[in-house]
Amino acid sequence: MCGIMGYVGPQEAGPILVDGLKRLEYRGYDSAGVAVTNGSINVRKAQGKIANLEDMLEVEPLVGSIGIGHTRWATHGAPTDANAHPHTDPSGEFVVVHNGIIENFQSLREQLAADGSEFTSETDSEVLAHLVAREYDGDLVEAVRKAVALSDGAYAMVVMSKREPRKIVAVRKISPLVVGLGDGETFLASDIPAVLHHTRDFLIIEDDELVVVTEDGATVETIDGEPVDRDAIHVTWDAEQAEKGGYEHFMLKEINEQPAVVTETLAGRLDEDGTVWLEDVDFGDDYAAAIDRVWITACGTAYHAGLIGQEIFRRILRLPTNVEYAHELRYADPIVGPNELTIAISQSGETADTLAAARLAGDNGSRMLAITNVVGSTLSRYADDILYTRAGPEISVASTKAYMAMLIAQYLLALRIGAARGTVNAELAARVSHGLHQMPAALEEVLRREPEALAAAELIRSAEDVYFIGRGLDYAIAMEGSLKLKEISYLHSEAMPAGELKHGTLALITDGVPVVVMLTQRDVYDKTISAVQEVKARGGAVIAVAYDTDTEIDKYADLVLRIPDMEDLMAPVAAVIPLQLMAYHVARLRDNDIDQPRNLAKSVTVE
Ligand code: G6P
């Protein structure tokens, strides 16, 4: 997500910080800033591109050889100058940059405000600067430790103070942090590529560790103060490999980030009992109870996420829900109206058709809720309610982790609306909550099975056509699996409800034609198996996505991609991963440009 830089050594810190931040630009950001200590702490920060910050530094340069810097990708508060990092405490003696989310920032902020603190931004991060200042009693490390103990969430924070001017203290709680070891100088960064041209020797900071950085190196300890003996690693990657975290492509990196994305999307929003807190969803229970119909509108992968939402809303809310392509809905002669909630889903929040459909719905009296990944995007500005997906910048054109976050967001929304309407009882709410909280571990397990997906890719790499079938939620996933495959492998593929196969497409199933069948919905399992038998009878090659405990499928399938057993309602979240990996490997085997597939754009801002 956001980028972090730090420097302490003999050189001017400002240019080194800015240069490091530029090397993190590929991750996406919407504002940038640096702070340098030189007797006092001086901060420069600006909305928009790093060039704006550079212009500012040209007019008002920073002098000093220790500093921290940040590129922000907004989560709390719009991308403005004031919300850009670094943030200082009111005295200006402590300065912080931060990645990730402080889940309990609202209550911390209220406490601090009650004690007289005045805030200059809307961010959760500013709270950290105030907390460290409040807890400081002659020992910066101790103050940071106390601030961390008070701050729930997944994040990385970096602190500098004029009281202890030759050190930087940083903590990792999930968000990445590395220390680059130079000769008489030390670097700190969220990612290796930021400083790879300065050094190849790195200390990788682990979760719940604290590091003190000086020009002589770094000392690592646990957040509880136990010393940690961390060996430096020597990185041999080139800069491009480093940007991809050592993965061959951004797509593979992003597929592998999905467990963390689920954690991030859920952070601070879901209690064990299924109670949901959605910070920018403003409608009350009365409104939720009075909704007559839900419209979901989107394009591409976001539309497929909407198909999942439709199933969830119909099933657990018993609420009539229609999902419509935005480019269709916008010309559908207003069929959306008051008492109807329109949910527009868009990773970028800038897709022209989705914006038009959302406007049309709003103009016709429908309340408009945006599910988007980009804070301050056009869609978010237009929406009545916003549910940010927090997937972090997605670079590969073929969407994976943003889709994952869209699914999670819709489960949360269903719980929120269901509680107000009384259609989700306490037992179901707790079950869904449990399933979602277990999901990151389940996804890790699915990711470990990548070799199965590679074997499936070998099977279909030379096919002319590939078909995907499933029922209900499985059909929705089949749609996304098929899209992933065609986007990057350029194979023709089609998805359909399993029951539809015999109404036409079966004519195309001949010897060896691959059919991918999704089998995670137990209530229609036997029905789907009938379709599998139809395929087998025509010589088709069956690739199944099935639970670990499903032994029945072994009788029919040429290859099975396994996912751990889980509640059917949540299974799509795990079942999409083997399909993403399979598409990835087919494209790789066919030597395609995976991250930039031909003819496609990440964001389509024209009609
Ligand atoms: C383009 C991208 C797709 C994406 C779609 C919708 O077609 O290539 O990956 O799903 O736009 O984008 P959005 O930003 O609205 O989710």
Side-chain angles (χ1 to χ4, degrees):
M1 279 223 232
C2 313
I4 283 178
M5 258 306 284
Y7 174 77
V8 47
Q11 305 187 59
E12 281 301 325
I16 292 175
L17 296 173
V18 170
D19 173 73
L21 294 178
K22 278 185 173 169
R23 290 170 196 270
L24 296 176
E25 271 191 302
Y26 70 94
R27 297 159 54 91
Y29 66 99
D30 42 44
S31 60
V34 291
V36 172
T37 309
N38 186 14
S40 61
I41 290 174
N42 295 299
V43 177
R44 305 279 185 272
K45 52 190 190 174
Q47 184 188 340
K49 291 289 160 200
I50 293 174
N52 299 348
L53 174 66
E54 285 181 300
D55 289 348
M56 197 179 257
L57 285 165
E58 208 159 324
V59 181
E60 290 180 288
L62 288 176
V63 179
S65 58
I66 173 165
I68 59 179
H70 191 263
T71 42
R72 172 172 189 253
W73 195 75
T75 56
H76 288 79
T80 59
D81 288 354
N83 288 337
H85 296 216
H87 291 286
T88 55
D89 75 304
S91 73
E93 295 189 348
F94 297 86
V95 64
V96 167
V97 298
H98 160 244
N99 283 357
I101 291 166
I102 307 294
E103 292 172 9
N104 58 338
F105 93 99
Q106 202 61 48
S107 67
L108 291 171
R109 192 175 162 118
E110 281 160 19
Q111 284 165 29
L112 287 158
D115 294 342
S117 272
E118 281 184 22
F119 291 88
T120 57
S121 79
E122 302 156 285
T123 64
D124 51 345
S125 317
E126 190 184 358
V127 163
L128 292 172
H130 289 237
L131 275 182
V132 172
R134 189 187 76 186
E135 300 300 331
Y136 187 78
D137 190 16
D139 183 347
L140 187 59
V141 167
E142 202 47 44
V144 169
R145 201 174 276 139
K146 285 183 178 156
V148 168
L150 294 166
S151 310
D152 301 335
Y155 56 87
M157 74 183 280
V158 180
V159 185
M160 194 171 67
S161 170
K162 71 173 246 192
R163 304 274 192 100
E164 299 181 32
R166 292 307 293 170
K167 68 167 70 140
I168 299 170
V169 180
V171 169
R172 172 176 177 166
K173 280 183 90 178
I174 298 193
S175 299
L177 203 57
V178 298
V179 173
L181 302 169
D183 190 7
E185 57 184 355
T186 313
F187 307 84
L188 187 72
S190 51
D191 298 81
I192 287 174
V195 292
L196 197 57
H197 54 301
H198 293 293
T199 177
R200 293 194 158 268
D201 296 317
F202 288 90
L203 296 176
I204 309 296
I205 308 305
E206 304 283 358
D207 286 346
D208 297 317
E209 287 180 354
L210 180 149
V211 60
V212 180
V213 178
T214 66
E215 51 245 282
D216 302 323
T219 50
V220 186
E221 54 189 73
T222 67
I223 196 66
D224 302 323
E226 295 295 319
V228 172
D229 194 11
R230 177 69 31 81
D231 290 334
I233 60 158
H234 185 76
V235 173
T236 52
W237 305 331
D238 63 27
E240 201 195 323
Q241 283 170 316
E243 285 183 358
K244 293 173 187 154
Y247 291 101
E248 209 177 324
H249 299 96
F250 281 112
M251 183 180 179
L252 189 58
K253 174 172 180 265
E254 287 160 2
I255 289 172
N256 278 280
E257 282 170 357
Q258 291 177 115
V261 164
V262 173
T263 305
E264 197 82 22
T265 307
L266 291 175
R269 290 172 165 172
L270 179 63
D271 283 354
E272 248 171 61
D273 66 2
T275 308
V276 167
W277 315 94
L278 299 176
E279 57 279 11
D280 297 308
V281 173
D282 296 327
F283 58 68
D285 286 358
D286 289 352
Y287 173 80
I291 300 171
D292 290 334
R293 176 178 295 277
V294 174
W295 292 90
I296 302 177
T297 191
C299 302
T301 290
Y303 171 83
H304 293 155
L307 288 173
I308 299 280
Q310 180 186 41
E311 278 288 314
I312 302 170
F313 288 6
R314 284 182 180 169
R315 270 198 210 187
I316 70 172
L317 300 181
R318 310 300 302 160
L319 187 56
T321 304
N322 296 60
V323 54
E324 295 281 344
Y325 284 115
H327 35 86
E328 288 292 309
L329 186 66
R330 66 183 291 192
Y331 296 116
D333 194 12
I335 45 172
V336 180
N339 278 350
E340 297 185 344
L341 173 67
T342 301
I343 302 172
I345 310 179
S346 172
Q347 185 282 129
S348 61
E350 303 296 345
T351 300
D353 285 317
T354 308
L355 292 175
R359 284 215 169 89
L360 174 99
D363 292 348
N364 283 283
S366 175
R367 193 173 176 108
M368 215 286 285
L369 185 148
I371 296 181
T372 180
N373 199 28
V374 180
V375 174
S377 56
T378 308
L379 185 66
S380 73
R381 292 203 299 275
Y382 180 69
D384 300 301
D385 307 285
I386 315 166
L387 212 173
Y388 287 119
T389 48
R390 304 178 182 162
E394 191 176 60
I395 292 166
S396 164
V397 167
S399 180
T400 53
K401 66 174 184 171
Y403 169 80
M404 173 67 63
M406 289 168 184
L407 302 190
I408 301 299
Q410 291 177 100
Y411 286 97
L412 291 174
L413 194 58
L415 288 179
R416 163 78 178 80
I417 296 174
R421 293 174 73 86
T423 40
V424 174
N425 62 30
E427 188 263 336
L428 177 59
R431 257 174 40 216
V432 174
S433 171
H434 179 75
L436 291 174
H437 282 123
Q438 298 299 309
M439 197 54 78
L443 299 190
E444 294 286 3
E445 177 57 35
V446 180
L447 287 166
R448 279 194 282 277
R449 301 172 184 189
E450 187 178 343
E452 291 176 2
L454 175 58
E458 299 273 8
L459 195 78
I460 63 176
R461 64 184 289 188
S462 309
E464 300 263 312
D465 313 282
V466 182
Y467 298 93
F468 289 74
I469 59 172
R471 286 169 194 265
L473 284 165
D474 275 343
Y475 165 56
I477 289 295
M479 289 286 284
E480 176 58 8
S482 168
L483 178 67
K484 274 305 78 97
L485 186 67
K486 70 179 97 163
E487 279 179 310
I488 57 171
S489 75
Y490 314 147
L491 289 182
H492 167 251
S493 80
E494 249 182 78
M496 70 209 71
E500 189 61 17
L501 188 67
K502 57 185 176 295
H503 295 295
T505 309
L506 199 55
L508 303 174
I509 307 297
T510 53
D511 241 4
V513 171
V515 177
V516 180
V517 56
M518 310 302 296
L519 284 163
T520 71
Q521 302 300 300
R522 292 170 172 100
D523 56 339
V524 287
Y525 183 88
D526 292 343
K527 306 284 170 204
T528 309
I529 287 289
S530 305
V532 171
Q533 279 168 331
E534 289 160 12
V535 171
K536 282 312 285 180
R538 273 95 193 158
V542 173
I543 297 170
V545 176
Y547 291 125
D548 280 340
T549 50
D550 180 353
T551 48
E552 176 72 10
I553 188 58
D554 293 326
K555 293 184 203 154
Y556 310 104
D558 295 78
L559 213 144
V560 186
L561 305 172
R562 297 284 179 182
I563 62 167
D565 281 42
M566 61 180 71
E567 186 115 17
D568 292 5
L569 185 66
M570 254 85 75
V573 180
V576 74
I577 290 185
L579 303 186
Q580 295 168 339
L581 286 170
M582 183 175 76
Y584 170 81
H585 281 294
V586 175
R588 200 179 53 81
L589 291 168
R590 291 168 67 101
D591 224 3
N592 292 349
D593 185 346
I594 293 181
D595 289 328
Q596 298 283 335
R598 72 181 179 211
N599 305 343
L600 300 181
K602 183 74 191 153
S603 177
V604 182
T605 53
V606 291
E607 187 177 347

